[in-house]
Structures are given as C-alpha cells and as structure tokens.
Amino acid sequence: MLGIVIATHGTLSDGLKDAAEVIIGAADNIATVNLNHGEDIQKLGAKIQAAVQEVDQGDGILILTDVVSASPYNQSLMVASALSPELRENTYVIGGVNLPMLLETINHQILSTPVKEAAQAVLAQGSDSLGLWHVSLVADEDEEDEF
C-alpha cells in the first residue's frame, strides 16, 4: 500500500487529514508531521524520518508538504536523500499540498497506482484544483438572452 506522509507548519497536516476523512472516511497508512512553533528543525527531520518508516510497506511513499523550499519540504528532501537506494527511488516529495491533492493521493493509494504515476497525478491535481471567480468574469444575464 502506498505510504503517505503529510509534513506541514503547525497542525495543518492534521487538519488536512481530518478534512479528507470527513469526505472519504477513514484513511489508512497516513502519517502527519507538524512543525510546531519554536521547534528545532533537526527534530522535524527526525519526525519525518520516523513517519516514512511508519508508512513504508514497499509500494512507495509520497511526502506532501505545505510550502516548497520551507522547512518541512527541505527536511523531507534531506530525509528522502538519506533513504536506502530502493526506498529513495520510490519516494517523492511534493510541495504546495492542498485538500484536493491529498484526496487524489488517497484515491491512488486505494487504486494501488504505481507511486511514479500517483506522484504525477497528484501534482496535476494541484494545478487543476485552483479556480478564480469574480463578478467581472460572469457574463451579464441580459447579454446571454439576446440572439
């Protein structure tokens, strides 16, 4: 089963997991890691490493982080780089996680999608899940009725 680690600032990772479970029910093989205020960054790396070991079932790991180039992301890269060659080959770190991306990850976990394909699908979902609405973008109803 695909392993999922969510590593974020504060308790965002817990909130994302909770929200996902409200939508799809209980999720398996997911570990959350929180960078708490004032916490030592090295301690964060150790927590990410422990989470990776916890969810590793041999089918690959996706580590989802909140901000590219921030501490959870950077520590995840360091942890992934230090893994055994086989595990490192099947571990992907994705920055900028949002709820649709987590739902996509869980969906691929359920479907047993190979980790490389799952990583690409999750990344695509991140882009596809963004939207913008403003009244200026909505056509005037009167204009739509004219032929």
Side-chain angles (χ1 to χ4, degrees), residues 5 7 33 43-53 63 71-73 75-76 79:
V5 175
V33 178
K43 183 177 179 185
L44 174 65
K47 291 194 309 187
I48 293 169
Q49 183 174 12
V52 165
Q53 298 305 319
I63 304 174
S71 296
Y73 182 86
Q75 288 295 309
S76 294
V79 167

Side-chain angles (χ1 to χ4, degrees), residues 2-143:
L2 177 67
I4 303 169
V5 175
I6 313 165
T8 65
H9 293 86
T11 58
L12 177 60
S13 60
D14 295 332
L16 285 168
K17 182 181 178 192
D18 180 61
E21 289 181 336
V22 166
I23 296 168
I24 63 168
D28 295 324
N29 208 33
I30 298 177
T32 60
V33 178
N34 303 318
L35 174 60
N36 300 308
H37 183 70
E39 187 172 29
D40 182 275
I41 299 303
Q42 302 308 317
K43 183 177 179 185
L44 174 65
K47 291 194 309 187
I48 293 169
Q49 183 174 12
V52 165
Q53 298 305 319
E54 175 187 333
V55 302
D56 178 25
Q57 295 185 6
D59 294 319
I61 298 169
L62 292 182
I63 304 174
L64 309 175
T65 68
D66 53 357
V67 181
V68 173
S69 296
S71 296
Y73 182 86
N74 293 338
Q75 288 295 309
S76 294
L77 294 181
M78 292 174 63
V79 167
S81 296
L83 295 172
S84 68
E86 182 181 338
L87 185 53
R88 184 175 55 233
E89 182 67 29
N90 290 309
T91 299
Y92 291 81
V93 178
I94 300 174
V97 67
N98 59 32
L99 182 56
M101 291 171 73
L102 177 56
L103 294 171
E104 185 77 10
T105 306
I106 295 168
N107 184 51
H108 285 285
Q109 181 190 59
I110 293 166
L111 296 172
S112 299
T113 304
V115 66
K116 184 176 181 179
E117 292 175 35
Q120 293 301 318
V122 170
L123 197 59
Q125 180 62 43
S127 302
D128 294 344
S129 65
L130 300 176
L132 173 67
W133 182 94
H134 185 263
V135 68
S136 66
L137 301 173
V138 178
D140 186 11
E141 287 184 30
D142 292 335
E143 292 177 14

